[in-house]
Amino acid sequence: MIRYQLGAGAAGVRWAMSPIHEVVSLARLLTEPQRHRVYEPWLRRRRHRLKDVDLSALTVFMSDGAYRPDFLDPPPPHPEPTFEEGVEALLATPTDQVHAELVDAFRGRSGEAAERLTGSPERTKVEAAGAIMRLSRAAVEPEWPSMRQALRAELLDRALQTSREGLRSVVGRLHPSVEYRESTLTVDTCVDVDSACPDGLVLIPSLFITDRVQCSTSDHWGPAICYPAPGRYLWSRPVPPASLEQLLGRTRSKILAAIAVTPLQTSVVAALVDVTAPTASEHLAVLRNAGLIDTSRSGRTAIHELSASGRVLLGGGPGRGTVKAD
């Protein structure tokens, strides 16, 4: 078990997105696409972009169960860093730190590749950065506006939940392996580590991990946890039941089906159902007045989620609604 000693509690936790983490996690996904069927439609539509991209300098670290060096995706320095900031941090990693992480990554694994990579840590770092930049240009950069929207919505939603319910309740919903009690956040894993967090802990939502969390306990990088973000609507849009479409109309039923997957901002709803933001606002107002959705605000940003009545209408009972994906 990993134990993050927070000390200051909620004040010691911050939330941030990480564009470079999304790229590195996509590389891992590409080595085992059969493991995560939810991404299949998205990957098929982008196969031509990825066909000739050389990722070998990155995927060499993607052996299942092996430690993935932390220098590949450094924790974000602030809530919304750019991809370029992540690459700069990667390239600025001290050579001795890169070497130490490479030794850990290839512990128990022999062979020419392991010797070459650990024997030339600076070259290994530069080649990995090159592969990350190629994958970003090919697959993530064209999709980043919608990915950033999904991650922004997640960060804002978690901030609102924390202010309403407290950190313990919110952390307990990030992943079944994560728990928070008495100023200690624990992750149920096969390793046994105590990690002090004098400068806080970073929680990073990730669009390309679905069934696990990824933990960093390195003194060099500072502690961080990447957890699955509810951005499934990016990969396959929800399809509302036919009966719901007959009752509410096509656009409003699609809006309810999308919000059933995860709380969404108005601009994201508009993009998902192919209408303008003002038109989406009108439909959302009708659904809110009917008691089917709840809306909370942070400044000028509105977040919409299913109400209890909306969940019942979609057949999900008191929990999150149930819809199928196309």
Side-chain angles (χ1 to χ4, degrees), residues 137-321:
R137 285 193 298 267
V140 173
E141 187 176 301
E143 311 288 338
W144 183 242
S146 58
M147 291 183 181
R148 182 175 56 209
Q149 271 192 324
L151 292 169
R152 279 176 173 167
E154 166 68 6
L155 296 181
L156 181 56
D157 188 43
R158 295 300 183 183
L160 291 171
Q161 289 176 8
T162 301
S163 67
R164 291 197 306 255
E165 307 170 38
L167 184 64
R168 177 181 298 178
S169 177
V170 175
V171 164
R173 295 198 296 268
L174 297 183
H175 190 269
S177 66
V178 181
E179 186 178 7
Y180 174 67
R181 65 173 62 177
E182 298 179 356
S183 298
T184 300
L185 192 154
T186 62
V187 181
D188 188 9
T189 181
C190 59
V191 300
D192 189 51
V193 177
D194 285 291
S195 179
C197 306
D199 298 318
L201 171 69
V202 187
L203 298 176
I204 306 168
S206 175
L207 296 168
F208 286 114
I209 58 176
T210 60
D211 60 347
R212 69 187 85 182
V213 296
Q214 294 172 203
C215 300
S216 170
T217 59
S218 166
D219 293 335
H220 177 80
W221 294 112
I225 299 175
C226 297
Y227 67 91
R232 288 173 289 168
Y233 57 87
L234 292 174
W235 323 125
S236 55
R237 299 191 179 192
V239 178
S243 57
L244 188 64
E245 187 172 322
Q246 293 170 358
L247 177 66
L248 299 176
R250 182 171 181 79
T251 299
R252 289 172 192 164
S253 63
K254 287 170 66 177
I255 289 174
L256 274 192
I259 294 174
V261 177
T262 184
L264 296 173
Q265 296 177 27
T266 305
S267 57
V268 179
V269 170
L272 283 173
V273 300
D274 300 317
V275 298
T276 64
T279 299
S281 294
E282 293 176 6
H283 286 297
L284 288 161
V286 171
L287 294 170
R288 184 167 52 253
N289 291 337
L292 299 176
I293 67 170
D294 293 323
T295 299
S296 54
R297 291 186 176 274
S298 177
R300 299 177 61 185
T301 302
I303 297 288
H304 313 281
E305 57 187 320
L306 284 185
S307 66
S309 297
R311 290 193 291 270
V312 171
L313 182 64
L314 282 170
R320 189 60 58 84

